[in-house]
Amino acid sequence: MTIFERSKPGRKGYELPAYDVPDSGCNVPEHLLRKDPPMLPEVSEVDVVRHYTNLALKNYSVDRGFYPLGSCTMKYNPKINEDMAMLFTQLHPFQPRETIEGAVQLMGHLKELLCEITGTDDMTLQPAAGAHGELTGLLIARAYFEDIGELEKRKKVIVPDSAHGTNPASAAMAGFEVIEIKSGPDGCVDLEELKKHLDDTVAVIMLTNPNTLGLFEKDILTIAKMAHDVGALLYYDGANLNAIMGRTRPGDMGFDIVHLNLHKTFSTPHGMGGPGSGPIGVKARLAPYLPVPVVRKSGEKYELDYNLPKSIGMVRTFYGNFLVLVKAYTYILTMGGKGLKHVSDMAVLNANYLRVKLSKTFKIAYDRICMHEFVIDNEEFAKKTGVKTLDIAKRLLDYGLHAPTIYFPLIVHEAMMIEPTETESKQTLDTFVEAMERIAKEAQENPQLVKGAPYTTPVRRLDDVSATKYPVFRFKR
Ligand SMILES: *Cc1c(COP(=O)(O)O)cnc(C)c1O
């Protein structure tokens, strides 16, 4: 039932005292007044609280349980991040500059810390998400090639077939031609394949390391040299920095442009839980093209720098999703350098623990030491039992666990991509393994049981094709 259906004419959730001054009437010009009253539900305070609390209880979140959604880094987000963000909720972007000193200093210091973590020289905090960061990074690459007179010939962006779907989409949006290259048998970039496509018509190679199979690209230094030898730029999809944070840096691997997902690695809620932030770090020669304003050191303090004649302009209103920046800043300061390194150690340890335990029952695609995540290949399992990856994912919900990412990356059929994150205990990981083993057994003995799952959730299997093709966003009376 929606809040509108709970509406009862005349019911209110507030009571205001009567006027104790003369009523001066309505001063809003006639043409700005709405013709019809707004369609607001008429409900009491308790109606509202119960309605939304009950809805929230139907939802599953990382605060309620394990959420091993690969490539999404659903780690637990400490509540102190929210507390600190609350300190800034009264700020308005149109406030006079001299009244937002703290906010500017925070952005400046955050930028410096993120540059240090990624090994880049400068950065914008403006993009509102990972994909938005990718687009921004590619527009910077475009502006750079235009500036040096090479945009005419450099039309291509190379993307491996294991890439996150946003990579080719961003490259196409930025006006480039997307060239997809096949991964090698080891799941990594195939150098021969890369060589075939690499010449001075290539603008950018987009990679992530570890790649979406959770594998570290061991040839990354060679790849960087190959890219730079033909004058191309190397772009790093750093949405999932969890695996390497504090251990190695994209900038040191030779990447020229790096995007981060603060709403993954840097612990701010995402996926219906809040807005995102996708800062873009660049090497010094690309800094002139960053969106304005850039926060820069000016003497002892940070200042907003609007004086970038070669800037690609603004990519979002004001300074980006500022409260997300506060949460990430809080997270980095509370963790400290050693803490961030511990995060990547534990993220990788947890993933490998699960990989080895699950390999007794399931086939692991590219079964070797992984980074922060790994992929299960259920193709044979599905052939033998008739139970597909989708069915296993649905059955996990009955065991009170969130399902891993499924059917991604596309190069593994019946893929199940598992990322436990560093915030989970051994007990939680063991619970997940037990559930997966029980489901494997059910699939052998009673496949129909698994194929009919879930049985215990507020809604059963949803028609997600219709939901995508014919979305209904508004309640109509
Ligand atoms: C999540 C993710 C993205 C996209 O980030 P959004 O904030 O969802 O736009 C891009 N690349 C990878 C590898 C990701 O995991």
Side-chain angles (χ1 to χ4, degrees):
M1 192 188 250
T2 66
I3 191 85
F4 294 98
E5 289 158 291
R6 292 187 187 280
S7 183
K8 289 274 173 282
R11 192 172 281 176
K12 284 196 289 195
Y14 66 92
E15 198 156 24
L16 296 176
Y19 280 131
D20 56 0
V21 290
D23 184 349
S24 68
C26 174
N27 298 323
V28 180
E30 184 66 32
H31 73 281
L32 293 177
L33 286 176
R34 58 161 77 239
K35 305 274 173 296
D36 307 303
M39 211 183 72
L40 294 175
E42 297 181 77
V43 283
S44 69
E45 179 171 328
V46 65
D47 288 339
V48 173
V49 169
R50 287 202 182 134
H51 179 69
Y52 288 106
T53 304
N54 282 320
L55 279 185
L57 287 173
K58 288 197 172 91
N59 204 359
Y60 189 90
S61 71
V62 79
D63 284 358
R64 295 189 70 187
F66 189 43
Y67 211 131
L69 201 60
S71 198
C72 292
T73 313
M74 300 302 283
K75 60 169 78 177
Y76 171 74
N77 306 298
K79 299 302 168 230
I80 188 175
N81 302 348
E82 300 295 326
D83 271 1
M84 294 302 114
M86 288 298 283
L87 295 176
F88 290 87
T89 51
Q90 304 292 321
L91 279 187
H92 192 281
F94 282 138
Q95 263 177 251
R97 166 67 185 84
E98 63 273 17
T99 64
I100 56 159
E101 195 57 45
V104 174
Q105 299 313 308
L106 185 150
M107 287 191 290
H109 193 210
L110 174 63
K111 180 188 104 166
E112 207 153 88
L113 293 169
L114 293 175
C115 280
E116 190 179 331
I117 291 168
T118 52
T120 53
D121 302 316
D122 213 339
M123 186 172 279
T124 174
L125 304 171
Q126 232 175 57
H132 192 200
E134 291 169 24
L135 177 64
T136 305
L138 289 161
L139 291 177
I140 290 171
R142 221 187 135 83
Y144 164 74
F145 285 120
E146 190 160 25
D147 198 22
I148 62 170
E150 291 190 6
L151 190 60
E152 278 301 302
K153 69 171 177 186
R154 293 194 189 266
K155 297 259 184 255
K156 297 180 193 159
V157 169
I158 293 182
V159 178
D161 58 1
S162 64
H164 197 271
T166 50
N167 292 187
S170 302
M173 259 186 100
F176 291 107
E177 181 193 338
V178 180
I179 309 290
E180 188 180 279
I181 56 162
K182 272 204 174 60
S183 301
D186 61 351
C188 290
V189 171
D190 185 332
L191 292 185
E192 286 311 310
E193 195 55 30
L194 179 62
K195 215 176 276 170
K196 262 190 242 161
H197 296 279
L198 201 53
D199 55 30
D200 66 0
T201 63
V202 175
V204 181
I205 304 176
M206 295 181 88
L207 291 179
T208 182
N209 196 17
N211 64 24
T212 56
L213 294 160
L215 305 173
F216 194 84
E217 296 281 357
K218 55 194 182 322
D219 294 320
I220 189 59
L221 295 177
T222 311
I223 296 170
K225 184 167 185 319
M226 287 166 71
H228 293 148
D229 281 350
V230 296
L233 294 171
L234 200 56
Y235 181 99
Y236 187 84
D237 178 339
N240 315 112
L241 208 69
N242 249 32
I244 60 159
M245 184 166 56
R247 292 243 146 226
T248 179
R249 311 190 302 175
D252 299 340
M253 298 178 204
F255 285 93
D256 305 287
I257 310 173
V258 178
H259 93 251
L260 293 175
N261 275 29
L262 298 189
H263 50 291
K264 286 179 184 167
T265 316
F266 295 94
S267 193
T268 72
H270 61 288
M272 315 284 258
S277 175
I280 284 284
V282 293
K283 288 289 175 64
R285 68 188 159 133
L286 298 172
Y289 312 98
L290 286 170
V292 281
V294 176
V295 203
R296 290 239 163 88
K297 220 20 171 318
S298 163
E300 280 302 291
K301 283 188 165 177
Y302 298 100
E303 202 37 80
L304 295 168
D305 185 359
Y306 285 88
N307 185 25
L308 274 80
K310 292 183 177 177
S311 165
I312 60 165
M314 290 184 92
V315 295
R316 197 176 183 281
T317 44
F318 308 110
Y319 318 103
N321 283 326
F322 177 72
L323 295 184
V324 178
L325 305 180
V326 178
K327 293 178 205 183
Y329 185 63
T330 308
Y331 178 71
I332 293 172
L333 290 192
T334 49
M335 297 303 288
K338 270 196 197 137
L340 294 182
K341 196 168 169 185
H342 191 56
V343 164
S344 49
D345 288 354
M346 293 308 293
V348 172
L349 180 62
N350 275 356
N352 278 289
Y353 180 78
L354 276 189
R355 178 182 59 84
V356 172
K357 283 226 143 178
L358 287 172
S359 69
K360 296 192 181 96
T361 317
F362 295 90
K363 183 178 167 206
I364 312 290
Y366 312 98
D367 196 7
R368 56 185 165 99
I369 298 269
C370 63
M371 300 299 287
H372 63 304
E373 63 193 357
F374 62 96
V375 178
I376 289 180
D377 173 353
N378 282 325
E379 198 170 8
E380 274 168 44
F381 185 90
K383 266 192 206 133
K384 249 190 282 169
T385 61
V387 169
K388 299 183 141 224
T389 288
L390 177 71
D391 305 316
I392 300 174
K394 295 293 181 194
R395 186 62 177 147
L396 275 170
L397 307 182
D398 286 331
Y399 286 99
L401 297 158
H402 197 285
T405 296
I406 56 173
Y407 300 107
F408 178 76
L410 305 177
I411 53 174
V412 177
H413 299 275
E414 293 295 326
M416 185 170 243
M417 184 189 212
I418 300 171
E419 179 184 9
T421 83
E422 74 283 0
T423 54
E424 300 302 331
S425 65
K426 181 172 174 295
Q427 287 69 38
T428 304
L429 302 182
D430 287 338
T431 306
F432 179 71
V433 172
E434 269 164 43
M436 287 288 285
E437 285 171 351
R438 276 176 67 175
I439 294 168
K441 205 156 164 239
E442 287 170 353
Q444 312 275 352
E445 292 166 0
N446 186 2
Q448 280 317 314
L449 174 72
V450 185
K451 289 162 86 69
Y455 304 96
T456 59
T457 46
V459 284
R460 304 278 299 275
R461 291 205 186 193
L462 300 175
D463 179 356
D464 35 42
V465 175
S466 298
T468 317
K469 294 206 97 165
Y470 313 104
V472 181
F473 292 126
R474 278 190 63 189
F475 172 75
K476 281 217 188 88
R477 247 198 272 257

